[in-house]
Amino acid sequence: MSDANTVTFYLNAQMRRKAERGNHNFIRRVCSVLEAAGLNVAYDINDELGRLQALSRPGRSLFLMDDPVDDRGLTFRKTYIFPFWHIEKQSKRWEWPVAQSQFEPSKKDAVKAKKFHQRWRNKLFAGDTRQDGFVFMPLQGRLTVRRSFQHCSPIEMIEATLQYEPQREIIATLHPSEDYTDVELAELKALIDAYDQLTVRHRGTDEFLHNCDYIVTQNSSLGFHGYFLEKPVILFGKTDFHHIGLNVQTMGVAEAFAARTDHNPDYAAYLFWFLQQQAINAGRPETEETIRKVLQGHGWPV
């Protein structure tokens, strides 16, 4: 085999060790498809040096969560919960085909969708759910900056929520993987001091997800998790799971908050469509055939 027939996975160090031992289920099943097509598999670290080497290697590449360095590569990432995955041409979820697709609940799949929803809700989000009269706001990073996929900065999102939700307590949580600057924390403190209604916690808990009235976020995965508990979600950023959310970029801020009261989409149908029909379920017997079709769709010789 020539180097042109090698597919290199670019991973973090921990995932590379698991993949090389054959202990990562999804990567192992992708490898089975590649090797059945006569391709070799290799592994490297997804850092600056690895990406430079990818440019000089003649084979194909698969990058964990990051954009590929050229048109011979693809990106892959978990679809919010295991064992669901996507393999795409680039890393921006809001530009993936699923984000551009139209969601229409299917009556023929209604029973399957209900069972699917119940099974995964019980598995991942067991316990009672209530509406305890507060808004859950999982924050991400760069609180004072409006990025290209956002309607406004996260600080401005908090201010808008305070304007359009004058009664309920707002519990915002900081992301455990983010390092916040002194400026960001000072702006948060100024809002906390000005509004008794606002509380900021250092990390989220399952209790917030289970017991909130609704969720406000840019595009945090916790918003998607809220769908399992049938929580309305107001989105201030572009994402791939916008279809049943209240999206301020298309509706307007005031309209999104006003629509929350009567918002009751078919959560079960959506989760079944989004995960089982649009993503790759790495726990299914037909997973390798699904992976093969996805790679073929990207022009790979499998």
Side-chain angles (χ1 to χ4, degrees), residues 11-21 43-45:
L11 311 167
N12 60 48
Q14 181 182 15
M15 190 175 287
R16 178 181 179 177
R17 289 192 294 271
K18 289 184 67 175
E20 288 179 327
R21 293 195 297 262
Y43 302 96
D44 202 345
I45 297 296

Side-chain angles (χ1 to χ4, degrees), residues 8 10 13 36 43 81-82 85 88 171 185 208 216 230 250 272:
T8 303
Y10 294 86
Y43 302 96
I81 63 171
F82 291 114
W85 294 80
E88 302 291 351
I171 301 178
L185 295 176
F208 297 153
V216 177
E230 302 185 12
T250 56
F272 181 75

Side-chain angles (χ1 to χ4, degrees), residues 140-142 175-182 184-185:
Q140 293 154 286
R142 301 173 66 179
H175 196 288
S177 299
E178 293 286 347
D179 292 322
Y180 295 97
T181 66
D182 291 342
E184 291 173 310
L185 295 176

Side-chain angles (χ1 to χ4, degrees), residues 78-127:
K78 180 181 70 174
T79 311
Y80 302 106
I81 63 171
F82 291 114
F84 299 94
W85 294 80
H86 269 265
I87 300 174
E88 302 291 351
K89 292 185 182 297
Q90 45 85 31
S91 64
K92 295 176 181 176
R93 293 182 188 264
W94 53 91
E95 293 183 3
W96 286 359
V98 63
Q100 315 304 321
S101 298
Q102 187 80 18
F103 165 63
E104 295 180 359
S106 171
K107 292 182 179 179
K108 71 176 182 178
D109 290 330
V111 174
K112 291 181 182 178
K114 185 175 181 179
K115 290 180 179 179
F116 179 89
H117 176 213
Q118 195 63 47
R119 180 170 69 252
W120 285 100
R121 174 172 173 164
N122 291 340
K123 182 176 181 178
L124 299 173
F125 305 100

Side-chain angles (χ1 to χ4, degrees), residues 3 24 29 41-42 45 55 57 76 78 83 127 166 169 222 234 273 278 284:
D3 287 340
H24 192 285
R29 302 194 79 169
V41 172
I45 297 296
L55 285 169
R57 288 170 175 155
F76 71 103
K78 180 181 70 174
E169 180 184 7
L222 289 171
I234 296 178
W273 175 80
Q278 301 298 311
R284 297 283 299 175

Side-chain angles (χ1 to χ4, degrees), residues 94-224:
W94 53 91
E95 293 183 3
W96 286 359
V98 63
Q100 315 304 321
S101 298
Q102 187 80 18
F103 165 63
E104 295 180 359
S106 171
K107 292 182 179 179
K108 71 176 182 178
D109 290 330
V111 174
K112 291 181 182 178
K114 185 175 181 179
K115 290 180 179 179
F116 179 89
H117 176 213
Q118 195 63 47
R119 180 170 69 252
W120 285 100
R121 174 172 173 164
N122 291 340
K123 182 176 181 178
L124 299 173
F125 305 100
D128 294 335
T129 182
R130 305 191 304 268
Q131 291 186 343
D132 282 353
F134 68 90
V135 179
F136 177 36
M137 183 184 290
L139 298 172
Q140 293 154 286
R142 301 173 66 179
L143 300 182
T144 60
V145 178
R146 176 188 176 272
R147 289 184 269 180
S148 60
F149 62 89
Q150 296 174 327
H151 176 77
C152 61
S153 73
I155 288 290
E156 291 168 331
M157 176 180 71
I158 297 173
E159 293 170 337
T161 304
L162 287 163
Q163 178 182 355
Y164 290 103
E165 179 47 82
Q167 296 181 333
R168 291 174 176 83
E169 180 184 7
I170 299 164
I171 301 178
T173 56
L174 300 178
H175 196 288
S177 299
E178 293 286 347
D179 292 322
Y180 295 97
T181 66
D182 291 342
V183 171
E184 291 173 310
L185 295 176
E187 293 219 17
L188 278 178
K189 185 177 185 303
L191 287 172
I192 294 169
D193 290 344
Y195 296 93
D196 293 338
Q197 183 186 359
L198 176 64
T199 301
V200 177
R201 305 287 180 88
H202 283 284
R203 61 178 62 243
T205 69
D206 286 344
E207 178 186 356
F208 297 153
L209 198 64
H210 277 264
N211 299 336
C212 67
D213 288 7
Y214 63 99
I215 299 165
V216 177
T217 186
Q218 294 282 356
N219 60 6
S220 168
S221 61
L222 289 171
F224 180 75

Side-chain angles (χ1 to χ4, degrees), residues 23-93:
N23 292 337
H24 192 285
N25 179 50
F26 179 67
I27 293 176
R28 184 177 71 250
R29 302 194 79 169
V30 174
C31 289
S32 294
V33 173
L34 297 172
E35 290 168 346
L39 298 170
N40 296 320
V41 172
Y43 302 96
D44 202 345
I45 297 296
N46 186 18
D47 58 9
E48 185 176 355
L49 177 60
R51 294 181 72 82
L52 285 173
Q53 290 177 329
L55 285 169
S56 62
R57 288 170 175 155
R60 299 175 186 270
S61 57
L62 280 162
F63 286 86
L64 175 65
M65 296 177 64
D66 286 337
D67 282 324
V69 297
D70 54 34
D71 59 7
R72 291 178 287 111
L74 297 170
T75 184
F76 71 103
R77 70 181 298 167
K78 180 181 70 174
T79 311
Y80 302 106
I81 63 171
F82 291 114
F84 299 94
W85 294 80
H86 269 265
I87 300 174
E88 302 291 351
K89 292 185 182 297
Q90 45 85 31
S91 64
K92 295 176 181 176
R93 293 182 188 264

